[in-house]
Amino acid sequence: MTVDDHPFTAEQKEYLQGFFAAAACRPFVGHFANGRITSDPASGLPNEAGEAVFGTPVEDLCEQELWKHEQNGLDIWDTLVAHAEANRLPDKKNTFLFRFHGLFYVGPAQESFMLRLRTPGGELTSAQMRGLAEIAKDWGGGYAHVTTRANIQIREIQPKNIIDVLTKLQQLGLTSRGSGVDNLRNITCSATAGIDPAELIDTRPMAKALHYYILNNRDLYGLPRKFNIAFEGGGSIATAAETNDIGFVAVKVGEGKSVEPGIYFRLQLAGITGHQQFAIDTGHVIRPADSVAVAAAIVRVFNEHGDRTNRRKARLKYLIDRWGTEKFMDEVGKKLAFPLQKLPLADCETGHPPIPHGHLGVYRQKQPQKNYIGVAMPVGAMTVRQMRRLADLAENYGSGSLRLTVWQNVILPDIPDAFVETVKRNLVRMGFHYEASSIAAGIVACTGNAGCKWASTATKAHGVELARYLEKKLRLDRPINIHLTGCPHSCAQHYIGDIGLLGAKVNDHGAQVEGYHVLLGGNCIGDQKLGREIFHGIPFSQIPGLLEGVLTTYLARRRPNETFSDFTARHSVKELQELFSA
Ligand code: SF4
C-alpha cells in the first residue's frame, strides 16, 4: 500500500506542510554548522531581582525598565490566559509586557490587539500563509499587512482570542515571541536569497540560525531598547542593512589579503535612520559561520552596558557614541571564542549593485527555467482572500514558498517559465501590480493612526489615496519610493525614501489638521543619502498636488538617466523649494 492509495485530505496536507516547514529548520537551533558561539555561554548575566540591573541602581531605572525588573515579559502566559478568559484589555504595564509575545494593544486607536509575527528571512510556506489568513478571518479584521521588517501583522484581535491566536501560530510552526518592545526584532535577509543569480551568499541559513538562537536564549530578551539585525547577501535586491543596529553585508575577499580568501560579511553597526544615522562599517570581516556568535556577543554587550535610565538614549547608537567603536568591539571580542579580524574595505569586492525595486516584476532565478515574480501591494495590505490566493499561486505554480520584503511586498519564487504568464494574469485579477515603476509599488507606510497611539496621521489610507491620485496624473519610467511615517519614531523610515512624509498636526487656516513635513532625496541603496526637509507642515489635502508637481518637474528637468535622489542632491533646499513651488 502506498500513500497514493489513501491520499491525504487538504487539512492533513496543510498540517504536514506546516510540520515539515518547522522541522526543516531544526538543524539550526542554537547552533550553526561549524559556528563557535561565545567563550562563555553564560556570559549574558541573568536579569535577576536585586538592587541593580546590569549595574544601574533600581531607583534610577526608567518606568519600562522597572516593569521588566518586576516581571520578565516571557513569563506572563498565565496573565495572558486570565485576560483572554475575562476578555479584558491590559493596563499600562501589561500593555508593555504583552508585546514580548507580539501582542500590541493599540487603544485608543482600536480597542483590540495587533499581532506581530516573527518570519525569519521573510520566508513563509503556502500552508503558513493560509493559516495566517484563517487567523485574520476568524479572530482579526479580515486582512493583514506586510511590514518593513519583512514580517506580517494582523489587527483587530479581541482579548478573548489571544490564546487561540498564539497557539494557532505555534501549530503553523510560527511564533510572535519577542517581536515587540525591547527585543530583537524579526531577522531580515535578502528577499531573493538562494534564488538570485547575482548573490555572493544565500543568507537564509544565517538569518534562521540567529532566529532560533534568540528563541532559545532568554538573556537575549529584555534589552535596553529594540534591536534590528539584517543579512545582506550581495545580490541585486537590497535589504536596507544600513538601517539596522547590526548589518552583515556580504563581500568577497580574494587571494593575497590578510585573511583567507572567501565570502565574508563586513560588520556595520548602529544604523538608526529615525535618528539620521546609517550603520557604520567597523572595519571587521566576519566568516558567515561565525555571524550568529558575533551577533549574540554584540547583543550581550549592549544588554549589559546600554542605558536603562533614558529611553531616548537607550539604542545601540548611544552606547557606541559614548564608548567609540573600538572600545565597543574590544568588549565584543572578549565574549568570543575566536579573534575578530579586520580588513580594509578596499581589500574586499562588494556585491552586485542593487537594482532599484528589483523585488518587483519577473526575474530569472539562478535555478534553470525558474523565475521569481515580485508583487506590489500598496502599503503592504492583503485581504484574507488575497492571502489565500497568493498561497494557492505559490502552491500550484511555484514551490509552495512565499517571500516577504522589507519594502512591504511579496515575492513568489520558483515559477517555471511555462507558468509565468498565468501567474501574472492571476495577480492582476487579484488586484495586484507587478510592474516596478508603478507608483503603488513604491508606497511604504507605517501603521498610522488607525492603530498606533503615537500617529498624527492616517499614513496607510493617505498612502493609498496618494498612489491612486498620482497614478491618474503621471507615469514614471523608473521606481520612486514614497515613505509615510506617522511620527518621528520613523517606523516607515521617511529619511530613506525618495520622498519622505513625516506626519504632524498642522495648521490649515486656523484649524489643526493632519499633514506632513516633506523630505526629498533619501536613498539607502548604493549612494546613501538622508532626505532633506523641503516643505514643513503641509496639510494632507495639498500633498497629492504638491507631489504631482515635484514628480512632473523632476521628469521634465532631470539629466539623462538621473535618479530622483541625484536630481535633488544637486540642488540646495532653497532651490528645490523654488523649483517645486513654481
Ligand atoms: Fe506609530 Fe510612529 Fe511607528 Fe508610525 S512611526 S507606527 S506612528 S510609532
Side-chain angles (χ1 to χ4, degrees):
M1 187 187 299
T2 67
V3 168
D4 291 339
D5 296 328
H6 294 281
F8 293 112
T9 64
E11 201 175 326
Q12 285 169 328
K13 274 191 203 162
E14 191 161 305
Y15 169 79
L16 287 170
Q17 201 178 351
F19 175 81
F20 286 118
C25 297
R26 282 208 181 128
F28 300 124
V29 174
H31 295 280
F32 181 62
N34 304 319
R36 293 156 289 180
I37 306 298
T38 59
S39 55
D40 173 9
S43 62
L45 301 172
N47 189 8
E48 288 170 347
E51 299 303 309
V53 175
F54 296 118
T56 303
V58 168
E59 59 269 24
D60 292 344
L61 296 175
C62 64
E63 185 178 43
Q64 293 82 354
E65 286 297 331
L66 274 174
W67 291 333
K68 290 188 288 185
H69 181 61
E70 289 162 13
Q71 171 81 71
N72 187 324
L74 296 176
D75 300 333
I76 58 165
W77 187 255
D78 289 352
T79 312
L80 290 169
V81 171
H83 278 69
E85 282 175 351
N87 195 26
R88 190 168 70 236
L89 291 166
D91 62 12
K92 197 172 164 198
K93 175 181 167 184
N94 279 327
T95 293
F96 181 84
L97 293 176
F98 280 22
R99 294 184 180 196
F100 274 69
H101 296 263
L103 288 168
F104 292 65
Y105 167 50
V106 290
Q110 287 173 339
E111 290 298 302
S112 56
F113 288 96
M114 177 195 82
L115 169 77
R116 180 186 295 154
L117 272 61
R118 298 187 80 91
T119 52
E123 202 168 21
L124 285 177
T125 65
S126 53
Q128 288 170 331
M129 181 63 103
R130 224 173 263 123
L132 293 174
E134 254 178 59
I135 291 176
K137 176 178 79 64
D138 292 344
W139 300 306
Y143 58 92
H145 287 108
V146 180
T147 77
T148 53
R149 290 209 67 74
N151 200 352
I152 295 271
Q153 290 181 171
I154 297 174
R155 315 185 71 86
E156 300 186 44
I157 296 167
Q158 292 303 309
K160 65 183 177 190
N161 295 324
I162 57 179
I163 298 299
D164 288 331
V165 166
L166 294 181
T167 47
K168 170 80 180 182
L169 268 190
Q170 293 189 22
Q171 286 162 15
L172 293 170
L174 292 167
T175 183
S176 56
R177 200 173 157 92
S179 63
V181 288
D182 302 342
N183 295 305
L184 283 149
R185 304 303 179 83
N186 191 41
I187 308 300
T188 60
C189 71
S190 171
T192 49
I195 58 176
D196 181 349
E199 73 183 359
L200 295 175
I201 185 170
D202 178 356
T203 46
R204 287 173 303 166
M206 282 65 76
K208 291 185 180 183
L210 183 53
H211 167 79
Y212 286 100
Y213 190 79
I214 294 162
L215 290 185
N216 289 289
N217 282 281
R218 284 169 66 86
D219 72 295
L220 297 180
Y221 292 79
L223 310 175
R225 207 70 164 85
K226 72 172 177 180
F227 201 98
N228 294 323
I229 303 179
F231 290 88
E232 185 93 58
S236 41
I237 310 298
T239 318
E242 310 79 2
T243 66
N244 285 253
D245 294 279
I246 303 176
F248 289 107
V249 180
V251 291
K252 188 172 174 187
V253 176
E255 301 280 349
K257 310 297 179 196
S258 60
V259 301
E260 290 288 310
I263 303 296
Y264 290 80
F265 290 122
R266 287 202 72 86
L267 179 64
Q268 300 183 347
L269 290 180
I272 174 170
T273 56
H275 296 224
Q276 303 189 40
Q277 179 169 300
F278 285 112
I280 295 157
D281 185 293
T282 64
H284 294 87
V285 286
I286 311 294
R287 294 186 330 126
D290 293 336
S291 56
V292 171
V294 171
I298 290 170
V299 173
R300 285 178 170 132
V301 171
F302 170 59
N303 204 17
E304 291 163 22
H305 299 282
D307 191 315
R308 292 179 185 267
T309 63
N310 179 355
R311 303 282 287 173
R312 289 175 194 279
K313 301 286 181 195
R315 291 286 299 269
L316 176 69
K317 163 188 159 53
Y318 294 98
L319 176 59
I320 292 180
D321 283 354
R322 193 150 43 92
W323 277 6
T325 307
E326 208 174 313
K327 175 175 174 187
F328 182 83
M329 289 307 297
D330 282 350
E331 292 299 318
V332 171
K334 287 179 195 167
K335 292 195 178 295
L336 294 166
F338 51 90
L340 287 163
Q341 306 181 93
K342 283 191 137 183
L343 192 69
L345 189 53
D347 285 354
C348 301
E349 293 169 41
T350 52
H352 191 278
I355 303 170
H357 284 209
H359 55 284
L360 297 173
V362 183
Y363 292 86
R364 283 275 182 194
Q365 294 183 191
K366 65 166 74 163
Q367 294 80 7
Q369 282 106 45
K370 292 283 175 64
N371 306 271
Y372 69 83
I373 304 183
V375 186
M377 32 185 64
V379 302
M382 303 176 282
T383 63
V384 162
R385 190 153 180 261
Q386 288 170 326
M387 292 166 81
R388 286 177 175 152
R389 292 188 64 188
L390 282 170
D392 290 345
L393 288 180
E395 202 166 283
N396 295 338
Y397 300 107
S399 54
S401 167
L402 300 108
R403 310 280 186 97
L404 312 172
T405 81
V406 296
W407 312 103
Q408 295 185 318
N409 296 303
V410 169
I411 288 174
L412 296 172
D414 306 321
I415 309 293
D417 292 345
F419 292 147
V420 167
E421 291 307 317
T422 311
V423 174
K424 280 163 66 176
R425 270 197 305 278
N426 273 283
L427 289 171
V428 172
R429 269 190 225 127
M430 291 161 64
F432 290 133
H433 296 276
Y434 50 83
E435 297 93 2
S437 60
S438 83
I439 289 169
I443 302 270
V444 175
C446 77
T447 299
N449 63 12
C452 176
K453 69 174 180 179
W454 305 107
S456 299
T457 54
T459 47
K460 285 201 188 288
H462 289 161
V464 171
E465 196 176 327
L466 258 180
R468 283 202 191 114
Y469 176 90
L470 292 172
E471 270 171 357
K472 275 192 211 135
K473 298 289 182 179
L474 53 100
R475 282 212 74 72
L476 296 173
D477 52 8
R478 62 189 316 146
I480 295 280
N481 274 322
I482 303 177
H483 291 223
L484 297 95
T485 200
C487 81
H489 286 125
S490 190
C491 297
Q493 307 200 11
H494 58 283
Y495 280 110
I496 64 166
D498 292 294
I499 297 172
L501 299 176
L502 170 59
K505 292 287 182 236
V506 305
N507 190 302
D508 188 14
H509 300 97
Q512 285 284 297
V513 299
E514 293 185 16
Y516 291 91
H517 309 313
V518 181
L519 291 82
L520 300 178
N523 181 31
C524 74
I525 299 174
D527 183 16
Q528 298 167 353
K529 296 186 194 84
L530 291 165
R532 292 174 294 165
E533 185 178 297
I534 308 301
F535 297 106
H536 190 82
I538 308 293
F540 177 70
S541 57
Q542 296 172 26
I543 294 283
L546 175 70
L547 296 192
E548 180 189 350
V550 166
L551 292 172
T552 46
T553 304
Y554 156 67
L555 291 172
R557 295 194 172 217
R558 66 185 168 177
R559 293 171 179 160
N561 289 323
E562 190 172 38
T563 64
F564 184 80
S565 172
D566 289 342
F567 174 79
T568 52
R570 69 179 163 88
H571 294 90
S572 68
V573 169
K574 191 157 183 301
E575 285 169 341
L576 290 173
Q577 285 167 340
E578 286 169 4
L579 200 57
F580 297 138
S581 302

